């Protein structure tokens, strides 16, 4: 998908509204519009990367910032001790529906395994 048609790039650029809950120089995080847990936040890199298959060595810091942001928000919301899940789906069979990598932070209820 070209970046100009990417839903998350449009959110990043302020063209589509979202409830932003965290941001830094590398990433932006917002509430999922179809939450699967009381806390369901999506962390996206500011750089458009379609799938995990497209991540390069140069993207290390950027991808790491998604996890750092998720851990920080989980602590702020009181989930660090009780537990939370972070997951990144890759390609359609894994459930990726928007082709701009994004990390899901899920918390606030008991999460079961396997997930689906």
């Amino acid at each position: 998908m070209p970046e100009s048609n990417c839903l998350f790039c449009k959110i990043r650029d302020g063209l589509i509204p979202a409830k932003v809950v965290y941001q830094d120089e590398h990433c932006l995080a917002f509430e999922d519009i179809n939450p699967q847990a009381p806390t369901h936040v999506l962390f996206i890199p500011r750089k458009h990367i379609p799938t995990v298959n497209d991540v390069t060595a140069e993207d290390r810091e950027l991808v790491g910032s998604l996890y750092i942001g998720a851990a920080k928000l989980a602590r702020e919301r009181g989930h660090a001790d009780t537990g939370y899940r972070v997951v990144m789906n890759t390609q359609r069979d894994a459930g990726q529906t928007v082709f701009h990598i994004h990390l899901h932070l899920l918390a606030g209820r008991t999460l079961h395994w396997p997930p689906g």
Side-chain angles (χ1 to χ4, degrees), residues 21-95:
V21 295
Y22 177 85
Q23 58 185 314
D24 63 27
E25 66 273 15
H26 300 291
C27 73
L28 178 72
F30 48 89
E31 299 285 348
D32 193 294
I33 62 168
N34 184 26
Q36 301 300 304
T39 292
H40 189 170
V41 176
L42 303 178
F43 286 78
I44 66 166
R46 293 188 182 276
K47 176 183 174 183
H48 180 81
I49 303 172
T51 74
V52 173
N53 295 331
D54 302 300
V55 172
T56 67
E58 289 77 32
D59 297 320
R60 277 188 198 116
E61 184 177 0
L62 184 148
V63 173
S65 74
L66 303 177
Y67 286 89
I68 291 167
K72 181 177 180 182
L73 189 64
R75 278 191 304 277
E76 289 174 1
R77 293 194 175 184
H79 303 302
D81 292 332
T82 57
Y84 59 94
R85 180 173 293 159
V86 290
V87 65
M88 192 177 293
N89 302 319
T90 304
Q91 301 292 19
R92 292 192 196 289
D93 282 355

